[in-house]
């Protein structure tokens, strides 16, 4: 039987449950907050109660919701709460919740920021005082902006449910006071198409909800949390353009549930891990903000939380605690490159759905309250990171101003204490020793492999240049908020050209791609650029992302995601047998044979290795397969100040 609920206007329902201390507490009012005339949102809501304001006999109740608990629409009780945490919300449930909540609030505006692959609206609720209807007004307000983004993996549903409870409390409860300093954006169900693919067979690796959940990917099989750099899903394009870039959140909390790491925490959390982001921003998020959030939650609720990760070896937990990848394809690290305090939230698969929802609720809530208490400090961290990124694009310094291309995971200097479980030895029938898990918790001391350092780097250029034919690459870079200019006149300058040394394509398909590892040599040459070519300066806020996209040997570059494969055909198509065949056929081409021997075969200045490379080039050209860009990626690094005429532009396909 579902547990009895008492619905009031003041926050989440009070539920008679064994874990009541974890439930958000309901106040009879907003702790005096709504009593102040300048905070008249409750009074404005009173005009819109639309029938729920009266008694059954038609008489009116008290018109002041601050003096009593007021019954409200059933849509404002989440499916998780109504089902006693055995079910989760459909897209329509979330939509109805948002529509009803917006009708009752003078501090909320409801927005769509795009559509899904299947045409569903992508909803975002914005909470502010006074109400703000456009992102321009939000940015101009100077307030600190927080985004709570949930359900990117639609089987990981507890953050979705928790975010609705939080939104209700932002309107009716104590959290409304946060709007004095903050603008709060909430996307409760980002992967809306995946959310609708309900099945009780999905996510059986987690405890509940028994009624089933959606799937990990969007409607065409793309994992949206691997799409931040390449932006190939319509959902990703909409999120980055119409939320990240338009509203410019300072803090982003991205809600998930773990895939199965076994530890003693109801929730683990992460921070930007790519070392090409601002060190100050990474350090503040990891070492100041998140430990404070964790400590406050532990003090107030007793819920244990820690840095996201898994034991290196479950049979020997003391060997280490290891986090996930630094790649910018993931939301938290991408947010760091975009100068955001970007936080990963992962609830624990092996506790009940109710406990996961409440852990997510308290984590998001405390991140909001921390940001409220430190609003100016948080804003300053973000502004400093932006200014630092711009400044790094203004000066070429081969020693001090570098980009990390190869990143290595390592342990922090100090070990950490981690809640895990005891492991018992088990002697098998053949005499070998195995290990079995137990349910007895144990504290381990272990190194924390959560630090990423650059092991190979190159100087950060002043700009990148592209030929006008590469408008698709310019458009892709522009999707990330980068300013792109078009040259108005021809000019010549010293640049570094990418010469391809080797190419290795993955055997398996991932995210609709066969990932490519490219090795390049950066060669300095004088290069002539024409009117209409593209110039992408690095002294702009998106500089970290620009470099990650355009350096071919960066691990999330556009070259890595196959955007330059058309220039790599020399290596991808031909091999040594190709050269052997055409060397043999030279007997029928005496003039060609003479040129070939003079330039390559009998050239004393070439080593055997160099001859092999030059043979490939020679026969490519001789057969007509060669062009000026074969095995030379047409992206150019500016290494000295540019003196050219250019115009900031919006890149569009030719003849658009």
């Amino acid at each position: 039987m579902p547990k009895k609920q008492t619905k009031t206007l003041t926050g989440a329902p009070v539920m008679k449950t064994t874990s009541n201390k974890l439930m958000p507490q309901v106040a009879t009012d907003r702790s005096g907050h709504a009593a102040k005339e300048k905070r008249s949102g409750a009074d404005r809501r009173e005009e819109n109660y639309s029938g729920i304001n009266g008694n059954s006999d038609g008489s009116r109740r008290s018109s002041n919701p601050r003096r009593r608990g007021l019954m409200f629409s059933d849509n404002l009780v989440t499916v998780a709460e109504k089902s006693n945490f055995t079910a989760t919300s459909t897209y329509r449930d979330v939509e109805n919740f948002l529509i009803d909540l917006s009708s009752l609030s003078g501090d909320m505006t409801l927005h769509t920021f795009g559509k899904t692959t299947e045409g569903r609206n992508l909803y975002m609720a914005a909470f502010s005082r006074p109400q703000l209807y456009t992102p321009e007004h939000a940015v101009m307000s100077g307030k600190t902006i927080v985004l709570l983004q949930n359900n990117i993996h639609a089987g990981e549903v507890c953050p979705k449910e928790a975010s609705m409870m939080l939104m209700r409390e932002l309107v009716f409860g104590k959290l409304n006071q946060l709007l004095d300093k903050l603008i709060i954006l909430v996307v409760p169900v980002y992967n809306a198409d995946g959310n609708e693919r309900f099945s009780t067979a999905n996510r059986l690796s987690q405890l509940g909800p028994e009624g089933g959940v959606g799937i990990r990917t969007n409607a065409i099989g793309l994992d949206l949390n691997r799409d931040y750099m390449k932006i190939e899903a319509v959902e990703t394009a909409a999120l980055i353009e119409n939320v990240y870039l338009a509203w410019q959140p300072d803090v982003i909390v991205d809600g998930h549930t773990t895939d199965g790491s076994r530890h003693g925490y109801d929730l683990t959390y992460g921070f930007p891990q790519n070392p090409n982001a601002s060190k100050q921003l990474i350090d503040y998020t990891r070492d100041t903000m998140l430990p404070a959030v964790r400590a406050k939650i532990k003090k107030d609720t007793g819920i244990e939380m820690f840095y996201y990760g898994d034991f290196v070896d479950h049979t020997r937990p003391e060997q280490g605690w290891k986090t996930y990848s630094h790649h910018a394809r993931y939301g938290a690290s991408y947010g760091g490159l975009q100068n955001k305090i970007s936080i990963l939230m992962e609830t624990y698969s092996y506790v009940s759905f109710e406990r996961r929802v409440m852990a997510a609720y308290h984590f998001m809530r405390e991140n909001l309250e921390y940001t409220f208490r430190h609003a100016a400090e948080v804003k300053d961290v973000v502004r400093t990171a932006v200014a630092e990124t711009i400044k790094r694009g203004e000066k070429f310094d081969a020693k001090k101003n570098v980009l990390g291309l190869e990143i290595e995971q390592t342990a922090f200097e100090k070990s950490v204490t981690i809640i895990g479980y005891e492991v018992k030895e088990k002697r098998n029938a053949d005499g070998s020793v195995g290990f079995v898990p137990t349910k007895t918790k144990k504290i381990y001391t272990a190194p924390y492999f959560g630090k990423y350092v650059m092991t190979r780097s190159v100087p950060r250029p002043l700009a990148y240049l592209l030929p006008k034919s590469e408008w698709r690459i310019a458009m892709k870079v522009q999707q990330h908020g980068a300013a792109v200019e078009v040259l108005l006149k021809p000019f010549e300058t010293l640049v570094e050209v990418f010469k391809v040394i080797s190419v290795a394509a993955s055997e398996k398909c991932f995210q609709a791609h066969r990932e490519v590892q490219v090795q390049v040599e950066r060669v300095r040459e004088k290069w002539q650029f024409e009117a209409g070519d593209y110039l992408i300066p690095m002294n702009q806020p998106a500089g970290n992302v620009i470099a990650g996209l355009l350096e071919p040997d960066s691990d999330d570059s556009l070259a890595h995601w196959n955007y330059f494969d058309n220039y790599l055909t020399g290596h991808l198509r031909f091999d040594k047998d190709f050269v052997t065949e055409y060397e043999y056929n030279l007997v029928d081409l005496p003039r060609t044979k003479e040129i070939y021997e003079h330039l390559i075969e009998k050239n004393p200045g070439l080593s055997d290795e160099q001859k092999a490379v030059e043979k490939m080039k020679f026969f490519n050209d001789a057969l007509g397969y060669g062009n000026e860009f074969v095995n030379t990626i047409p992206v150019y690094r500016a290494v000295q100040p540019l003196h050219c005429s250019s115009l900031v532009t919006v890149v569009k396909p030719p003849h658009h």
Side-chain angles (χ1 to χ4, degrees):
M1 292 286 292
K3 297 170 186 173
K4 184 178 179 181
Q5 304 170 9
T6 304
K7 294 178 252 182
T8 76
L9 273 178
T10 53
V14 175
M15 300 187 64
K16 302 180 186 305
T17 172
T18 55
S19 57
N20 205 39
K21 80 169 188 172
L22 300 181
M23 298 297 294
Q25 297 301 302
V26 178
T28 56
D29 55 27
R30 287 186 288 174
S31 300
H33 173 71
K36 298 182 180 180
E37 286 302 317
K38 69 176 182 177
R39 302 179 180 122
S40 56
D43 296 320
R44 293 196 299 275
R45 289 196 302 273
E46 188 71 23
E47 301 170 4
N48 298 315
Y49 285 146
S50 174
I52 61 173
N53 204 19
N55 292 316
S56 58
D57 62 1
S59 62
R60 297 283 293 177
R61 299 179 185 175
S62 168
S63 63
N64 190 343
R66 296 171 300 198
R67 296 176 183 170
R68 57 175 174 76
L70 187 64
M71 299 298 289
F72 54 78
S73 164
D74 194 55
N75 287 335
L76 297 184
V77 182
T78 70
V79 169
E81 294 165 315
K82 284 186 285 191
S83 69
N84 195 23
F85 294 89
T86 61
T88 188
S89 305
T90 65
Y91 172 80
R92 186 65 65 192
D93 293 328
V94 176
E95 185 178 53
N96 289 337
F97 176 95
L98 293 170
I99 291 170
D100 279 20
L101 190 65
S102 66
S103 73
L104 301 178
S105 174
D107 299 325
M108 172 184 170
T109 54
L110 186 59
H111 305 257
T112 59
F113 62 90
K115 288 186 180 293
T116 67
T117 300
E118 294 183 330
R120 293 181 175 87
N121 283 327
L122 290 167
Y123 284 107
M124 183 184 75
F127 298 88
S128 60
R129 189 166 41 249
Q131 279 180 315
L132 295 171
Y133 299 93
T134 68
E136 292 81 6
H137 290 154
V139 175
M140 287 173 58
S141 74
K143 286 188 173 182
T144 304
I145 302 174
V146 183
L147 169 65
L148 305 178
Q149 174 187 310
N150 298 292
N151 222 51
I152 190 170
H153 293 151
E156 302 169 18
V157 295
C158 38
K160 171 184 62 178
E161 301 294 336
S163 72
M164 289 192 282
M165 296 163 68
L166 273 171
M167 285 189 278
R168 196 172 55 211
E169 193 159 352
L170 283 167
V171 172
F172 301 129
K174 291 181 180 181
L175 291 185
N176 187 269
Q177 65 188 321
L178 301 183
L179 304 183
D180 289 344
K181 295 182 182 180
L182 305 181
I183 295 170
I184 299 170
L185 312 175
V186 184
V187 176
V189 55
Y190 172 36
N191 182 6
D193 292 347
N195 191 79
E196 294 310 279
R197 284 159 166 77
F198 265 70
S199 172
T200 55
N202 293 339
R203 294 280 299 183
L204 290 176
S205 60
Q206 66 189 22
L207 289 176
E210 292 83 349
V213 296
I215 61 173
R216 183 180 186 87
T217 66
N218 74 348
I220 57 172
L222 292 177
D223 186 333
L224 301 179
N225 199 35
R226 307 294 186 271
D227 196 45
Y228 281 94
M229 290 293 275
K230 56 188 178 67
I231 312 185
E232 291 178 335
V234 295
E235 294 90 345
T236 313
L239 180 75
I240 291 177
E241 178 181 2
N242 299 322
V243 181
Y244 284 23
L245 299 179
W247 290 84
Q248 296 183 32
D250 302 291
V251 178
I252 300 171
V253 180
D254 180 20
H256 295 257
T257 299
T258 62
D259 288 334
S261 56
R262 195 164 188 266
H263 51 69
Y265 302 99
D266 281 15
L267 184 147
T268 49
Y269 48 77
F271 47 87
Q273 296 180 156
N274 192 305
N276 286 309
S278 162
K279 183 179 183 302
Q280 173 238 15
L281 181 141
I282 295 172
D283 290 351
Y284 180 84
T285 309
R286 183 190 64 224
D287 300 335
T288 300
M289 183 172 178
L290 287 172
V293 167
R294 173 196 180 192
K296 185 69 163 54
I297 293 172
K298 175 69 182 298
K299 177 182 177 182
D300 291 348
T301 70
I303 298 174
E304 294 280 5
M305 300 182 180
F306 194 61
Y307 294 106
Y308 176 77
D310 199 358
F311 289 107
V312 174
D313 182 346
H314 277 277
T315 66
R316 297 177 178 83
E318 64 280 354
Q319 288 191 1
W321 180 254
K322 186 177 181 180
T323 189
Y324 73 113
S325 167
H326 67 282
H327 286 78
R329 66 189 66 170
Y330 296 95
S333 285
Y334 176 80
L337 292 185
Q338 287 281 32
N339 305 302
K340 315 291 186 189
I341 293 175
S342 195
I343 296 168
L344 171 72
M345 175 179 73
E346 293 267 2
T347 59
Y348 185 51
S349 294
Y350 305 134
V351 296
S352 71
F353 181 41
E354 180 180 357
R355 276 181 64 175
R356 297 203 306 274
V357 171
M358 297 321 306
Y361 170 88
H362 286 292
F363 186 75
M364 287 189 284
R365 175 175 179 146
E366 183 52 34
N367 272 281
L368 292 176
E369 293 188 339
Y370 177 94
T371 306
F372 174 81
R373 294 192 300 269
H374 303 87
E377 180 178 85
V378 167
K379 196 77 171 179
D380 184 63
V381 168
V382 172
R383 286 175 172 168
T384 300
V386 172
E388 172 192 314
T389 301
I390 294 171
K391 186 176 180 181
R392 292 180 70 191
E394 293 176 344
K395 186 178 180 181
F396 185 88
D397 188 328
K399 293 183 178 181
K400 297 181 180 179
N401 189 12
V402 297
L403 295 162
L405 298 178
E406 292 182 6
I407 312 296
E408 182 178 289
Q409 187 175 29
T410 185
F412 287 99
E413 290 74 18
K414 293 184 178 179
S415 293
V416 294
T417 55
I418 307 159
I419 303 174
Y421 289 88
E422 287 186 359
V423 179
K424 290 185 177 179
E425 289 190 3
K426 177 185 177 182
R427 188 165 296 279
N428 300 317
D430 61 0
S432 63
V433 176
F435 297 88
V436 293
T438 73
K439 292 188 176 182
T440 303
K441 288 186 177 180
K442 180 179 178 179
I443 304 295
Y444 293 94
T445 299
Y448 171 33
F449 294 90
K451 183 178 182 180
Y452 283 93
V453 296
M454 303 177 188
T455 55
R456 183 172 70 87
S457 61
V458 293
R460 182 178 290 238
L462 298 173
Y464 294 92
L465 294 113
L466 306 171
K468 67 181 78 174
S469 57
E470 282 305 326
W471 53 267
R472 64 192 182 107
I473 300 298
M475 284 183 65
K476 183 62 64 178
V477 174
Q478 199 164 63
Q479 279 186 284
H480 293 270
V484 177
E485 297 177 285
V486 61
L487 297 181
L488 299 177
K489 295 180 180 180
F491 85 109
E492 185 179 80
T493 188
L494 181 68
V495 294
E496 288 182 346
V497 180
F498 294 118
K499 303 286 189 180
V500 177
I501 299 172
S502 68
V503 178
S506 63
E507 293 183 4
K508 295 182 179 180
C509 189
F510 174 69
Q511 285 287 99
H513 289 268
R514 294 195 185 276
E515 298 169 273
V516 173
Q517 308 295 331
V518 183
Q519 280 189 300
V520 296
E521 181 183 6
R522 293 162 176 80
V523 179
R524 291 200 173 188
E525 295 181 7
K526 284 280 188 179
W527 204 268
Q528 177 73 27
F529 294 94
E530 304 299 330
D533 289 347
Y534 297 109
L535 169 65
I536 305 174
M538 282 288 283
N539 58 335
Q540 54 177 312
N544 298 322
V545 176
I546 294 168
L549 292 168
L550 295 181
E551 296 290 332
D553 42 354
S554 177
D555 50 23
D556 255 323
S557 68
L558 292 177
H560 179 85
W561 292 111
N562 306 119
Y563 279 79
F564 292 103
D565 277 8
N566 49 313
Y567 300 113
L568 304 177
T569 53
H571 278 278
L572 293 177
R573 180 173 177 181
F574 301 126
D575 56 26
K576 64 180 181 179
D577 291 334
F578 161 78
V579 175
T580 302
E581 177 185 353
Y582 282 94
E583 275 188 306
Y584 179 81
N585 291 340
L586 285 178
V587 67
D588 297 319
L589 298 167
R591 181 173 176 275
T592 305
K593 181 178 180 181
E594 181 182 353
I595 296 171
Y596 171 71
E597 290 179 344
H598 173 73
L599 292 177
I600 301 172
E601 193 63 34
K602 296 181 179 180
N603 186 344
L606 296 179
S607 65
D608 289 343
E609 185 178 339
Q610 289 170 325
K611 285 181 181 180
V613 173
E614 293 303 317
K615 285 179 182 181
M616 181 72 74
K617 292 179 181 178
F618 182 87
F619 287 113
N620 256 330
D621 292 339
L623 289 166
Y625 288 114
N627 63 60
E628 61 181 311
F629 291 132
V630 165
N631 299 326
T632 303
I633 292 174
V635 176
Y636 306 92
R637 292 166 41 95
V639 295
Q640 63 183 21
L642 301 177
H643 303 287
C644 58
S645 300
S646 58
L647 176 71
V648 177
T649 188
V650 176
V651 183
K652 296 179 180 179
H655 314 300
H656 181 77

